Amino acid sequence: MFTTRHGISVALVSSAVELHAPSPRGIPPLLARLADDASLFSPAGASVAQAVEEHLRARDGEYAGLLGPILCQVSRLPELITELAKAKPAEPVPMSLVCDTGLGEVPKALSIIEGRHELLSLRMVEMPGPSDVDDIWLERVSEFVPEDVVRVVEPRRGEGWLDSVRRVAEFGCWPKLRSGGQTVESFPSVDVVAEFLAVATTLDVPFKVTAGMPRAVRRTDSETGFPYHGFLNLLVAVGRALSGQDVRGALASTDEAELAAEAGSFSDEAAKAVRGVFASYGANSPTDPVSDLVELELL
């Protein structure tokens, strides 16, 4: 039985999947719109032309329902618009605008997107939080970003960061968890992620995960030693958090068959509850998660 948040059944909380679109045909509710396209970011670092070509191809492909919006930095927005204008998509491409040039540049970027509504459909604006996420800064975010656009804020990890996670959610923003990066310190430990989930499952908004999960299941890179979290681990861990089971065990597991079996056993109601907490993650490419999920017989 899944727990409740603020007296409301988790299954009845508006899920992140519903905010993107109804569950697509052929894609189970647990995986619908799970993978945002972060191919413009490291480590993929695709050119804008390549990213647009691959994104549009994936949107026309068999597993299009797995795909969320394309993530684009404010600094690369003009390039994205240029390449989309060349490609002439049949319908506007859902996108998330990622602030890499400061919050003050957001209004101009939003105006540019509004002027190219035939190419882009803005779904989210994502930004790193300052060292101290206070009410004044969050009010500024609310002023800059329209109410019908999801605001995503990444609080900096450190002492008291979970208080910032709660404060972000209180202002109606989605918290973002950084799951990896270019140094081993960028990867949160199992305990840190478990503590984050303990908070995230009490909030009235879902969370996102930034890039750092290239595979479905947890693994340690043999060359770098980086301890990569798995998006399937996280899905199962959220399910366990909602039902009072062993969260740390799910996050630490490298047993692909066991994790796949548990995820595959979720009812539609349970899957939607999980996705009502864990909205999506940034995939290295629009097709990045497909091979693992097919191999694990989840697609």
Side-chain angles (χ1 to χ4, degrees):
M1 193 68 184
F2 280 76
T3 58
T4 61
R5 295 193 285 179
H6 304 287
I8 304 173
S9 169
V10 172
L12 298 180
V13 175
S14 293
S15 74
V17 176
E18 291 168 342
L19 287 172
H20 287 307
S23 186
R25 186 172 57 185
I27 302 294
L30 186 67
L31 304 175
R33 311 296 179 194
L34 175 67
D36 294 342
D37 180 359
S39 55
L40 290 175
F41 293 77
S42 181
S47 69
V48 177
Q50 179 186 1
V52 166
E53 180 182 355
E54 293 183 356
H55 186 86
L56 294 180
R57 186 186 304 121
R59 285 207 172 274
D60 288 335
E62 181 181 0
Y63 301 110
L66 188 65
L67 186 60
I70 188 169
L71 277 60
C72 181
Q73 305 93 325
V74 170
S75 61
R76 302 183 83 174
L77 178 62
E79 261 190 287
L80 179 67
I81 289 174
T82 296
E83 293 301 329
L84 283 172
K86 293 177 184 176
K88 297 181 175 61
E91 56 186 29
V93 173
M95 76 163 294
S96 180
L97 183 69
V98 180
C99 301
D100 65 337
T101 56
L103 194 55
E105 295 296 316
V106 170
K108 180 181 177 181
L110 296 183
S111 178
I112 293 172
I113 293 169
E114 177 63 25
R116 301 311 304 264
H117 58 83
E118 78 282 5
L119 299 176
L120 289 168
S121 174
L122 182 65
R123 302 295 178 84
M124 302 179 186
V125 175
E126 306 184 32
M127 63 211 79
S131 55
D132 179 22
V133 180
D134 59 17
D135 291 359
I136 294 175
W137 185 83
L138 287 166
E139 286 172 0
R140 192 168 176 231
V141 170
S142 298
E143 290 172 1
F144 281 179
V145 183
E147 288 186 2
D148 60 347
V149 175
V150 176
R151 303 180 297 274
V152 183
V153 176
E154 179 191 337
R156 297 185 187 179
R157 284 202 304 273
E159 186 176 353
W161 81 289
L162 291 176
D163 291 333
S164 295
V165 169
R166 294 185 185 93
R167 191 171 299 116
V168 162
E170 287 169 1
F171 271 76
C173 303
W174 294 9
K176 181 160 67 171
L177 173 69
R178 180 164 294 278
S179 62
Q182 300 304 304
T183 65
V184 70
E185 290 78 18
S186 303
F187 292 81
S189 67
V190 164
D191 284 345
V192 167
V193 177
E195 290 164 1
F196 173 83
L197 293 184
V199 171
T201 50
T202 69
L203 305 177
D204 288 330
V205 294
F207 70 88
K208 283 192 63 175
V209 179
T210 192
M213 295 194 297
R215 301 295 299 273
V217 176
R218 181 180 180 85
R219 68 183 181 90
T220 299
D221 188 278
S222 59
E223 294 183 4
T224 64
F226 290 171
Y228 287 100
H229 293 277
F231 62 83
L232 187 59
N233 293 79
L234 201 55
L235 288 167
V236 172
V238 171
R240 291 190 185 183
L242 291 172
S243 53
Q245 299 180 54
D246 178 17
V247 173
R248 284 172 172 80
L251 292 170
S253 177
T254 57
D255 190 326
E256 296 181 355
E258 182 180 88
L259 289 167
E262 186 167 347
S265 72
F266 287 170
S267 66
D268 284 356
E269 180 183 14
K272 289 175 181 178
V274 168
R275 294 298 307 286
V277 175
F278 174 21
S280 61
Y281 81 100
N284 290 342
S285 81
T287 57
D288 195 43
V290 171
S291 58
D292 278 2
L293 291 171
V294 169
E295 184 177 336
L296 294 170
E297 299 182 356
L298 291 172
L299 281 179

